[in-house]
Amino acid sequence: MTTTSQAPFNRLLLTGAAGGLGKVLRERLRPYAKVIRLSDIADIAPAIDDREEVVTCDLADKQAVHHLVEGVDAILHFGGVSTEHSFEDILGANICGVFHIYEAARRHGVKRVIFASSNHVIGFYKQDEVIDGRSPRRPDSYYGLSKSYGEDMASFYFDRYGIETVSIRIGSSFPEPLNRRMMSTWLSFGDLTQLIERSLYAPNVGHTVVYGASDNKNLWWDNRYATALGYAPQDTSEVFRAKIDAQPMPAADDPAMVYQGGAFVASGPFGD
Ligand code: NAI
Ligand code: 15L
């Protein structure tokens, strides 16, 4: 198990706890909190001991989110629609949801949020461009737009109310990279955990935007603001190089080979 020399929080809230990353973080976050409150709209496995609390909650429900946040010291906001859908499908969970989280944080005096943002905030940059956390955003989808709005919400709540946030623009966090694009965007679960740990404990983060990527060879992201938090990735996608190189080569003009956001840039339109 990961250990930390820093004092654990009394209670951390993890939204999206039934999701792919939520299930991973449920176990890996234990060193950082006496109690973890796990929440999702979907079913979550029952609490394994008195250090876990399980709360079913729809992020689109303002009053439910208000109750959810009561008594927590910091929030890891991972819940929401996690791929491209119609704007209407994204609105409640991601756009209303992120407002409900920050407004509840304000009302309950929560001082720090870790926001699971996404590379799709900048997905229309080309793969031969190098950007950092302060480069102008270029969302590639309604999903990317919702994460961009979440970053603006974080910025506003810091400027107006002093609630600090680290927005982590996660690349592709899966057990291993699944294709050529993910050789650049891959984030191991170990490095994700380290980045969250640094985001929880680093002082004076204000609103900091970082990229969630491992120490991959062909990175498109200058991750200086993550380095400033003390993040030092331990993994690299290179260990999967032979497996990925054995995959058929996509056409040179395939969005997966051109844009940082890959296929998301070509999603939609919806509802015609
Ligand atoms: P996931 O789709 O597996 O998990 C998201 C969870 O949010 C699900 O369990 C879902 O039930 C829950 N959710 C959806 N609508 C909700 C609502 N209205 N109220 C409450 N909960 C709701 O996604 P994953 O991969 O675990 O990602 C977690 C977070 O990280 C997401 O916010 C995603 O956008 C972000 N992210 C993930 C990346 C990855 O590579 N896994 C890359 C970039 C961002
Ligand atoms: C994301 O934002 C998604 O949540 C995840 O499922 C992947 O599609 C990832 O981006 C990616 O770009 O690989």
Side-chain angles (χ1 to χ4, degrees), residues 15-34:
T15 68
L21 295 183
K23 286 180 186 148
V24 170
L25 294 173
R26 177 177 187 163
E27 188 183 336
R28 288 174 182 251
L29 290 174
R30 282 174 74 87
Y32 310 120
K34 293 175 186 164

Side-chain angles (χ1 to χ4, degrees), residues 19-21 40-41 57-59 78 80 82 93 117 143 147 170-171 173:
L21 295 183
D40 206 291
I41 197 171
C57 177
D58 181 354
L59 290 162
F78 278 65
S82 64
S117 186
Y143 165 68
K147 295 293 186 179
I170 302 170
S173 194

Side-chain angles (χ1 to χ4, degrees), residues 193-209:
T193 306
Q194 187 209 138
L195 187 49
I196 290 173
E197 190 255 347
R198 295 313 311 139
S199 301
L200 282 170
Y201 289 105
N204 304 321
V205 298
H207 176 223
T208 298
V209 177

Side-chain angles (χ1 to χ4, degrees), residues 42-266:
D43 289 344
I44 308 172
I48 58 166
D49 57 22
D50 61 5
R51 293 185 53 212
E52 291 188 342
E53 298 170 345
V54 170
V55 181
T56 303
C57 177
D58 181 354
L59 290 162
D61 181 339
K62 185 176 185 180
Q63 197 57 29
V65 175
H66 178 75
H67 289 308
L68 177 67
V69 170
E70 188 169 10
V72 311
D73 303 307
I75 300 170
L76 295 110
H77 184 39
F78 278 65
V81 175
S82 64
T83 54
E84 177 64 330
H85 285 77
S86 71
F87 179 78
E88 290 80 3
D89 285 349
I90 285 171
L91 179 63
N94 291 24
I95 293 188
C96 297
V98 77
F99 165 63
H100 295 159
I101 285 286
Y102 276 93
E103 190 55 8
R106 179 190 68 77
R107 291 166 72 181
H108 291 298
V110 178
K111 291 290 176 216
R112 190 164 295 196
V113 177
I114 314 304
F115 174 51
S117 186
S118 171
N119 71 88
H120 296 289
V121 167
I122 49 78
F124 258 114
Y125 282 98
K126 301 256 179 78
Q127 294 182 5
D128 60 4
E129 296 176 280
V130 175
I131 57 173
D132 66 26
R134 295 184 186 174
S135 301
R137 285 171 277 183
R138 298 186 70 178
D140 61 19
S141 50
Y142 297 116
Y143 165 68
L145 277 167
S146 76
K147 295 293 186 179
S148 182
Y149 180 75
E151 292 185 7
D152 278 337
M153 188 72 69
S155 177
F156 169 69
Y157 270 81
F158 174 65
D159 288 338
R160 177 67 181 82
Y161 299 112
I163 297 172
E164 294 193 301
T165 297
V166 178
S167 291
I168 304 177
R169 289 181 183 164
I170 302 170
S172 307
S173 194
F174 299 104
E176 55 185 74
L178 304 174
N179 51 46
R180 283 183 166 75
R181 172 180 163 274
M182 288 191 193
M183 289 299 289
S184 293
T185 59
W186 185 63
L187 173 66
S188 73
F189 295 151
D191 286 338
L192 170 64
T193 306
Q194 187 209 138
L195 187 49
I196 290 173
E197 190 255 347
R198 295 313 311 139
S199 301
L200 282 170
Y201 289 105
N204 304 321
V205 298
H207 176 223
T208 298
V209 177
V210 302
Y211 289 92
S214 285
D215 186 20
N216 305 327
K217 192 170 167 192
N218 301 314
L219 266 178
W220 310 315
W221 304 323
D222 172 345
N223 217 0
R224 71 181 79 181
Y225 304 113
T227 305
L229 297 180
Y231 174 60
Q234 302 298 300
D235 297 312
T236 174
S237 62
E238 279 308 299
V239 298
F240 302 102
R241 172 67 66 188
K243 195 171 171 182
I244 297 297
D245 281 354
Q247 293 183 357
M249 180 67 82
D253 62 353
D254 187 319
M257 300 294 283
V258 177
Y259 293 99
Q260 296 193 6
F264 280 55
V265 307

